[in-house]
Amino acid sequence: MTISENLKHIQATLPKHVTLVAVSKTKPVSDLMEAYKTGQRIFGENKIQEMVEKHETMPKDIQWHMIGHVQRNKVKYMAEFVNLIHGVDNVKLLNEIDKQAKKHDRIIDCLLQIKIASEDSKFGMTPSDAEAILKSEAFSALKNIRVTGLMGMATFTEDENQVKAEFSSLKSVFESLKHIENENCKLQTISMGMSGDYQLAIACGSTMIRVGSSIFGVR
Ligand SMILES: *Cc1c(COP(=O)(O)O)cnc(C)c1O
């Protein structure tokens, strides 16, 4: 199937409350443009440099999501245009995003990444770290970021029960934190689910899925 057909097929099966991020990392601009012409406007990349280059050459009504692990010293390259940073997993990074957003007179939306997988390789903070940050005075003092939700990645395993348990744990962390509401924090988004597990993620409460290979083919 073509990129356009893949995209239409996935879009047709999604409930209205679920946002599709087309994960286009490593793919050429021509592939992204095919998705764009099919109506896709949200693209996810995991390397800042690659996202910057694609942003420069592509139409300006695209929303760019940074879904990968972010190095603090590279935030400045995307601060002017990035729409959502999914993988915020420490306070220093949050402070840097705030600082760089301020230079461009913007407010940048962020998701806190929670570690739900049992694998050591996956990044993320604990639910109590997230709670402590969201309730801290230092966080309230920031003026140029907004935490709009949580993000998580399940363990890479065939064991559907384990994946389901991990997704469900992110949903319950979300439920336990969503009462925290202030100028910098309004939790609305649960970013979980990729090509192999997005249906399960949606069943467990996902509102934003990050799908790459099922749209663009294998990398
Ligand atoms: C690559 C990537 C995806 C998409 O993976 P697919 O299996 O190709 O759908 C989703 N989320 C993150 C964080 C990724 O790095």
Side-chain angles (χ1 to χ4, degrees):
M1 290 216 290
T2 64
I3 291 169
S4 175
E5 286 166 341
N6 290 337
L7 199 49
K8 282 184 193 155
H9 173 77
I10 294 170
Q11 280 288 13
T13 67
L14 294 185
K16 277 211 173 58
H17 69 276
V18 177
T19 301
L20 173 64
V21 179
V23 175
S24 47
K25 62 192 186 195
T26 77
K27 297 295 178 181
V29 165
S30 56
D31 283 7
L32 280 71
M33 281 310 296
E34 185 176 342
Y36 180 86
K37 285 178 189 141
T38 311
Q40 184 66 28
R41 291 294 180 272
I42 305 178
F43 291 88
E45 291 283 335
N46 72 337
K47 295 216 165 64
I48 292 175
Q49 190 54 39
E50 186 176 340
M51 185 171 77
V52 168
E53 283 164 17
K54 286 171 173 170
H55 166 256
E56 278 167 4
T57 51
M58 292 186 65
K60 294 297 170 277
D61 61 341
I62 291 174
Q63 295 175 34
W64 293 98
H65 288 201
M66 175 42 59
I67 62 165
H69 186 67
V70 177
Q71 284 171 278
R72 236 181 310 143
N73 60 351
K74 292 191 177 155
V75 172
K76 55 178 177 284
Y77 302 117
M78 63 174 170
E80 190 178 356
F81 70 90
V82 68
N83 283 96
L84 183 64
I85 301 176
H86 287 235
V88 177
D89 66 355
N90 64 80
V91 181
K92 283 183 170 176
L93 178 58
L94 206 52
N95 289 338
E96 177 65 14
I97 295 167
D98 183 75
K99 182 177 148 193
Q100 297 300 334
K102 196 185 176 94
K103 289 186 186 167
H104 297 281
D105 198 21
R106 299 185 66 213
I107 293 173
I108 297 181
D109 287 347
C110 300
L111 306 179
L112 298 184
Q113 183 169 357
I114 308 292
K115 183 170 162 34
I116 54 172
S118 55
E119 294 160 302
D120 282 341
S121 61
K122 300 257 157 66
F123 294 100
M125 55 176 89
T126 65
S128 53
D129 286 343
E131 180 169 13
I133 290 172
L134 297 177
K135 288 182 169 168
S136 72
E137 292 202 4
F139 173 73
S140 321
L142 302 178
K143 294 281 177 264
N144 297 79
I145 47 101
R146 191 161 43 208
V147 174
T148 58
L150 305 178
M151 180 267 207
M153 286 176 85
T155 304
F156 188 72
T157 170
E158 295 286 303
D159 183 353
E160 202 169 284
N161 285 327
Q162 183 179 350
V163 174
K164 192 174 172 190
E166 292 174 359
F167 284 152
S168 301
S169 76
L170 186 60
K171 167 74 171 166
S172 53
V173 175
F174 177 86
E175 292 301 326
S176 74
L177 296 180
K178 75 174 185 200
H179 69 279
I180 306 173
E181 256 193 62
N182 55 53
E183 283 209 6
N184 291 345
C185 177
K186 185 158 179 25
L187 302 182
Q188 293 159 305
T189 300
I190 306 178
S191 167
M192 61 182 185
M194 326 199 321
S195 291
D197 56 22
Y198 72 84
Q199 279 116 336
L200 184 57
I202 292 169
C204 294
S206 172
T207 68
M208 185 174 277
I209 57 172
R210 311 175 307 268
V211 178
S213 42
S214 290
I215 298 172
F216 296 105
V218 291
R219 285 181 296 273

